[in-house]
Amino acid sequence: MSRHLPIVAVTPFPAAAAHELKDAQLRANLGRATRTIRDKRARVVAEVPDWEELRERAARTKDEVLDRLPELLARFERAAAAAGASVHHAADAAAANAIVAELVRAQGADRVVKIKSMATQEIGLNEALAEAGITAIETDLAELIVQLADDTPSHILVPAIHYNRSQIREIFAARMPGFSAESDEPAVLAGAAREYLRRTFLSAEVAVCGANFAVAETGSLVIVESEGNGRMCLTLPGTLIAVVGVEKLLPRMADLGDFLRLLPRSSTGERMNPYTSVFTGVTPDDGPRRLHIVLLDNGRTKTAQDPVGRAALRCIRCSACLNVCPVYERTGGHAYGSVYPGPIGAILSPQLTGQDAGANSSLPFASTLCGACYDVCPVKIDIPEILVHLRQTGPKPAAERAAMATLSWVMRDRRRWRGALRAARTGAVPLRALTRRRGGTLRRAPWPVSAWTAHRDAPLPPPESFRDWWRRTHAE
Amino acid sequence: MRIALLVTCLNEALFPRAGMAVVTVLERLGHTVAFPPEQTCCGQLHANTGYAAPARELERHTEAAFAGHDVIVTPSGSCAAHLRAHTELPVYELSELLVDVLGVTDVGARFPHRVTYHPTCHGLRMLRLGDRPQRLLRAVSGLELVDLPEPEQCCGFGGTFALKNPGVSGAMLADKCANAVSTGAEYLAAADNSCLAHIGGGLARRPGAPKPVHYAEILAGTGAAA
Amino acid sequence: MLSELFAERAGDYRAGVHHCTEAELPGVLAGLLAGASAVVVPPGLPQAWTRDLAGPQLPDHGLTPADLDAPGLSVLTGCAAAIAETGTIVLDTGPGQGRRLLTLVPDHHVCVVYDDRVVADVPDLFAVLPDPTRPLTMISGPSATSDIELDRVEGVHGPRRLDIVCVHADAGKEPR
């Protein structure tokens, strides 16, 4: 396959980040947006007295799904089929794309309307459909903005987070037929999208969606949204095709109670999103006459085998971890080279693809391990733990391996350690004299210390070691 | 009480005054400090950079070095967090030892300066130190503690992150430094010299910025000297 | 009380919230729907609710999306349940609620919520629904988006106006 896979980073994260960091407007947009959503989330989470128990329970429910995956998948398939849905299985992106393209063609349609879906982005469905002569129209406002701009999403929940309102107005003015508004008020821009898409919804024959949850007990799918574009796609076209990652399962309908309390608060910082649709198979005279559900694996079963890394599959795509991540806030989503950016992307993309894919092994290092992501995760994914786990299991440069081996050899013996420190202190003597006027820190240094002094002064070893001081002051 | 000091490899190599300060504070409070001589590094650096086997060896080395000690104190939130997660050692970060174990907030220090405090990520989110360090600092005679804006934001150090992702690390550092400068403080205190080496290295390039200091040095009443 | 919390929370997300007694309901609905070009009426809607409506009514005998897209339409429904904690109304296509597109395509939705339909929080919902495999639509305020600078604005593809009429059993409740 020649097409670029949407979850494989081409450029290593540090280089991609360096590129994004040059864009001051981007950083201002991201800073403002993530700060807004962080504050909103904190307010609505504080309202829930049993938030921690809720997280615990949701994590356990998702772990149960991973433990019982084959059984629950079979149960879901039976229930959905009994309710009139056709269920398909796709081992990878290519298989899923081929199934969807064939289903669209079977309806004689040359275009589909789409609900925002991470699974379809992960498999590059729009591009695959385009190759098959089918136009995919994104109907979520942010996805529409990104599609009109010929750009790629930079956030899981808010794909156009990297644009501010005036940039969005410019995109609409250049690319949206009939758009003429002078104002960049969000209400005006949203109104323009409503006008633009209304005809499309009323004439669409096929819709494509993902699912936030799939209930094994009943074969139901759940779509959580805000704008109503989802409801349009779920009820107007005669054929609905849902692409659903196998980890989206919940065992029981009653489990939705916890997850619908967790997801909106974590993602948009609302107590509840405007619209949640739960539907089971097809219903006579209401909604689509044909429902196809494509269950997507694409690396998930393999990821579920890793006892540490599997927790990443609990993810419900709320993007709270992106909004609190200091790295994401500086670089935006594009630096991660995957449709899954931020902390969750740094553990999800390399696991779904394997760490040898493209530059994905650089992603687990795109974090300071500050832990803010773990604190806000509604399903308690210990992202720092998985980042460290992936660093330990992934490839590392030979020079670094040698240096770390030497360092640990030195540190395993106190005489070698003391000798190394003594050598460092001796080496620092002339430098100390040179830097005294500035408070004893080093401004410029040769490689490899230059990587440090590019952004900050380096400290110098002290004249007297702790051990010497200890011996001097605590001699028996 | 007899308390064993884990000084940490970084403090031994570059910032011995933090270790000296812990000894000074504890002895002033009437406790006996031991320095187990075999100690070197807790293994955190190796573990977080992706080297599990050497990390485990250093964790075992540290366990052996501190065998038989019932209370271990360290002036590093991140080393305390690492050892608590990977060994059975009874390790306390300094403020935990003082406030929780010894029940002290006023350690009898004097530091007549304006100080702001950066709660490091490991202290904040792994150890959940809460306001223990600030309570200790507020009890210091003459010290004026001023709030740091966006305190919970990581400074951008992250161990080898600072070297592997210099651009992002530098951008995070710039924001942390700007917040520190905005306080008008003379000193920026923290519970980890790794973060302080990074923040301090950035502050050194900004005229009129606060000077970095480990809060143990303030508690020892030696922070102004140097 | 649950119904009070429901009303407060529904109002937080800019639904219009109105209070009345059973006896006052037809008049309140007539007032809210006075400006509609026509009112879409789902099957099974209590006749009393439409008694005082002045304008034309569109009973759903297979209305098409194009029919429902006519300018100025309002739709009047009941609900299967309402959730206090989140200010959410829940439709399950049961009597007086109709097919899903009836409450989607028109620009104005008026929903009647009786006190005894209000549950405390989302988990309680699944215990009271007669059949959770009917198509469910949970609605919290009018259609909205936060896609531009994470700034919430009301009114995208679904109804831009949502009015909720809370019907209280006791007569002592003053409209707020």
Side-chain angles (χ1 to χ4, degrees):
Chain A
M1 190 195 282
S2 62
R3 197 158 10 87
H4 164 60
L5 290 168
I7 51 172
V8 177
V10 176
T11 311
F13 183 83
H19 177 75
E20 301 295 328
L21 283 168
K22 288 185 204 134
D23 188 343
Q25 181 70 60
L26 171 75
R27 254 160 83 192
N29 294 354
L30 286 169
R32 189 176 328 110
T34 53
R35 220 164 280 143
T36 304
I37 194 79
R38 280 204 296 269
D39 294 347
K40 281 169 78 176
R41 178 203 163 274
R43 273 198 300 277
V44 293
V45 165
E47 284 179 3
V48 183
D50 58 338
W51 185 253
E52 288 307 313
E53 293 149 54
L54 203 51
R55 292 174 76 206
E56 280 290 347
R57 206 160 53 228
R60 278 201 305 273
T61 303
K62 276 294 185 181
D63 285 347
E64 179 191 347
V65 168
L66 298 177
D67 288 339
R68 300 171 56 197
L69 196 52
E71 172 206 341
L72 290 174
L73 274 174
R75 184 145 188 215
F76 174 83
E77 181 169 354
R78 275 198 307 277
S86 306
V87 180
H88 311 256
H89 294 267
D92 56 22
N97 288 332
I99 292 168
V100 176
E102 187 49 46
L103 290 169
V104 178
R105 242 186 256 123
Q107 295 304 317
D110 62 0
R111 57 172 202 168
V112 300
V113 286
K114 277 190 70 199
I115 306 180
K116 179 176 155 34
S117 139
M118 293 310 298
T120 60
Q121 283 180 30
E122 173 189 325
I123 61 176
L125 178 66
N126 292 7
E127 295 75 12
L129 289 178
E131 283 173 16
I134 299 160
T135 306
I137 302 163
E138 294 288 354
T139 64
D140 170 76
L141 177 56
E143 291 286 358
L144 176 70
I145 294 164
V146 168
Q147 196 176 39
L148 288 173
D150 277 330
D151 197 357
T152 54
S154 66
H155 189 279
I156 290 174
L157 174 77
V158 200
I161 195 170
H162 53 299
Y163 293 122
N164 64 23
R165 58 185 71 190
S166 73
Q167 294 169 311
I168 293 168
R169 201 205 72 84
E170 282 164 30
I171 293 165
F172 279 13
R175 299 293 184 89
M176 183 187 280
F179 179 86
S180 60
E182 291 297 323
S183 166
D184 61 4
E185 275 304 306
V188 171
L189 299 171
R194 177 190 173 95
E195 297 310 315
Y196 173 68
L197 286 173
R198 179 107 339 186
R199 301 298 120 200
T200 310
F201 284 132
L202 294 177
S203 61
E205 296 165 70
V206 181
V208 175
C209 66
N212 293 93
F213 306 101
V215 182
E217 176 184 43
T218 54
S220 312
L221 296 179
V222 183
I223 301 277
V224 174
E225 55 139 349
S226 295
E227 297 170 9
N229 65 309
R231 294 179 66 196
M232 291 280 177
C233 293
L234 296 179
T235 51
L236 297 183
T239 301
L240 177 62
I241 304 168
V243 180
V244 183
V246 293
E247 87 287 10
K248 294 282 144 196
L249 282 174
L250 292 179
R252 299 152 293 263
M253 186 69 98
D255 295 322
L256 271 180
D258 287 341
F259 285 88
L260 291 179
R261 290 179 77 201
L262 287 164
L263 177 56
R265 286 184 170 87
S266 300
S267 61
T268 51
E270 296 166 311
R271 296 187 190 108
M272 187 59 96
N273 49 293
Y275 298 131
T276 297
S277 297
V278 184
F279 57 100
T280 309
V282 293
T283 306
D285 302 322
D286 191 346
R289 293 177 296 284
R290 287 165 296 277
L291 171 62
H292 293 275
I293 302 171
V294 182
L295 294 171
L296 175 72
D297 191 297
N298 208 31
R300 287 162 173 76
T301 304
K302 180 177 58 79
T303 302
Q305 315 292 312
D306 183 324
V308 179
R310 69 187 305 210
L313 295 176
R314 292 180 194 156
C315 176
I316 56 174
R317 313 284 188 262
C318 73
S319 62
C321 62
L322 277 60
N323 301 330
V324 299
C325 177
V327 177
Y328 177 88
E329 188 184 328
R330 270 54 176 209
T331 66
H334 291 156
Y336 295 79
S338 163
V339 301
Y340 298 117
I344 186 63
I347 60 171
L348 200 53
S349 308
Q351 292 201 90
L352 292 177
T353 62
Q355 291 213 57
D356 50 355
N360 276 9
S361 66
S362 70
L363 295 176
F365 292 90
S367 166
T368 62
L369 307 178
C370 85
C373 48
Y374 180 33
D375 267 13
V376 297
C377 178
V379 286
K380 283 195 93 161
I381 303 171
D382 190 341
I383 295 178
E385 181 192 28
I386 300 179
L387 287 166
V388 168
H389 171 69
L390 294 176
R391 291 176 184 188
Q392 293 178 350
T393 51
K396 261 111 35 206
E400 182 188 286
R401 284 206 307 272
M404 294 302 273
T406 306
L407 185 61
S408 75
W409 177 79
V410 168
M411 286 173 154
R412 280 200 307 278
D413 179 276
R414 77 152 144 155
R415 274 166 300 273
R416 293 197 290 261
W417 172 235
R418 270 172 57 201
L421 293 181
R422 197 177 304 124
R425 282 197 304 280
T426 308
V429 170
L431 292 172
R432 237 190 329 270
L434 284 172
T435 58
R436 182 161 300 130
R437 210 158 41 85
R438 228 189 10 250
T441 54
L442 200 56
R443 188 130 310 171
R444 256 187 297 276
W447 188 89
V449 186
S450 57
W452 179 271
T453 53
H455 291 277
R456 45 190 111 53
D457 284 11
L460 289 170
E464 184 183 31
S465 80
F466 179 83
R467 284 170 204 260
D468 290 345
W469 173 84
W470 178 263
R471 236 191 324 270
R472 188 160 60 76
T473 54
H474 291 74
E476 294 298 318
Chain B
M1 189 180 285
R2 187 177 153 81
I3 299 156
L5 171 68
L6 174 89
V7 70
T8 81
C9 63
L10 181 80
N11 285 329
E12 246 201 275
L14 296 168
F15 305 103
R17 281 189 287 134
M20 300 171 192
V22 174
V23 176
T24 305
V25 171
L26 293 177
E27 289 181 346
R28 189 166 67 215
L29 294 170
H31 303 283
T32 305
V33 180
F35 181 74
E38 298 298 328
Q39 63 178 290
T40 57
C41 168
C42 68
Q44 185 198 178
L45 170 72
H46 286 81
N48 288 352
T49 311
Y51 297 86
R56 261 191 298 277
E57 287 174 353
L58 290 168
E59 287 153 14
R60 296 297 88 85
H61 179 87
T62 305
E63 280 182 324
F66 283 86
H69 290 281
D70 301 326
V71 179
I72 302 166
V73 67
T74 183
S76 162
S78 61
C79 299
H82 182 79
L83 287 172
R84 216 176 275 172
H86 297 277
T87 71
E88 299 291 319
L89 290 172
V91 184
Y92 298 90
E93 190 279 329
L94 177 64
S95 70
E96 294 175 309
L97 179 79
L98 291 172
V99 176
D100 300 349
V101 181
L102 304 178
V104 184
T105 47
D106 185 348
V107 298
R110 176 164 172 76
F111 194 78
H113 298 284
R114 203 173 152 87
V115 175
T116 192
Y117 183 79
H118 166 61
T120 62
C121 298
H122 281 82
L124 195 65
R125 285 179 281 265
M126 279 67 168
L127 296 178
R128 308 275 174 203
L129 293 183
D131 68 346
R132 288 179 185 82
Q134 289 95 323
R135 273 151 66 195
L136 291 162
L137 288 174
R138 276 197 203 95
V140 171
S141 153
L143 187 148
E144 184 197 353
L145 190 63
V146 293
D147 287 340
L148 179 70
E150 302 195 306
E152 75 295 338
Q153 280 262 326
C154 176
C155 67
F157 170 62
T160 47
F161 176 85
L163 303 175
K164 287 174 185 275
N165 282 284
V168 188
S169 176
M172 290 165 69
L173 174 61
D175 292 344
K176 184 58 75 181
C177 286
N179 281 328
V181 170
S182 79
T183 64
E186 298 161 71
Y187 289 89
L188 177 131
D192 232 308
N193 268 326
S194 49
C195 310
L196 276 171
H198 166 79
I199 303 171
L203 292 174
R205 297 183 180 189
R206 288 162 174 84
K211 287 191 270 297
V213 62
H214 195 290
Y215 82 106
E217 295 176 50
I218 294 178
L219 299 185
T222 61
Chain C
M1 214 170 92
L2 285 185
S3 62
E4 279 170 17
L5 180 63
F6 166 74
E8 178 199 319
R9 294 286 163 92
D12 280 354
Y13 286 132
R14 311 224 190 129
V17 180
H18 315 271
H19 299 267
C20 67
T21 62
E22 177 93 53
E24 295 161 344
L25 181 60
V28 169
L29 292 175
L32 288 171
L33 294 162
S37 62
V39 177
V40 177
V41 177
L45 196 78
Q47 284 183 353
W49 295 8
T50 53
R51 193 183 63 205
D52 293 355
L53 298 189
Q57 297 175 22
L58 276 180
D60 179 28
H61 304 299
L63 292 168
T64 66
D67 295 336
L68 293 165
D69 195 36
L73 284 194
S74 294
V75 58
L76 172 61
T77 73
C79 65
I83 304 169
E85 179 71 26
T86 57
T88 304
I89 53 173
V90 183
L91 309 185
D92 72 351
T93 73
Q97 300 165 52
R99 298 180 297 147
R100 285 177 285 175
L101 61 90
L102 299 190
T103 53
L104 174 64
V105 183
D107 208 14
H108 181 210
H109 179 193
V110 178
C111 182
V112 176
V113 179
Y114 282 81
D115 274 356
D116 62 1
R117 289 291 165 103
V118 183
V119 301
D121 206 345
V122 193
D124 307 297
L125 172 69
F126 296 97
V128 302
L129 290 176
D131 177 5
T133 66
R134 285 187 196 162
L136 302 180
T137 308
M138 305 182 193
I139 299 174
S140 311
S143 159
T145 183
S146 302
D147 279 351
I148 300 169
E149 298 179 8
L150 285 164
D151 191 10
R152 184 183 159 108
V153 296
E154 276 77 23
V156 199
H157 302 295
R160 283 183 279 200
R161 286 187 298 141
L162 171 66
D163 281 302
I164 295 174
V165 183
C166 301
V167 185
H168 302 289
D170 58 315
K173 196 83 202 171
E174 283 298 307
R176 282 191 275 206

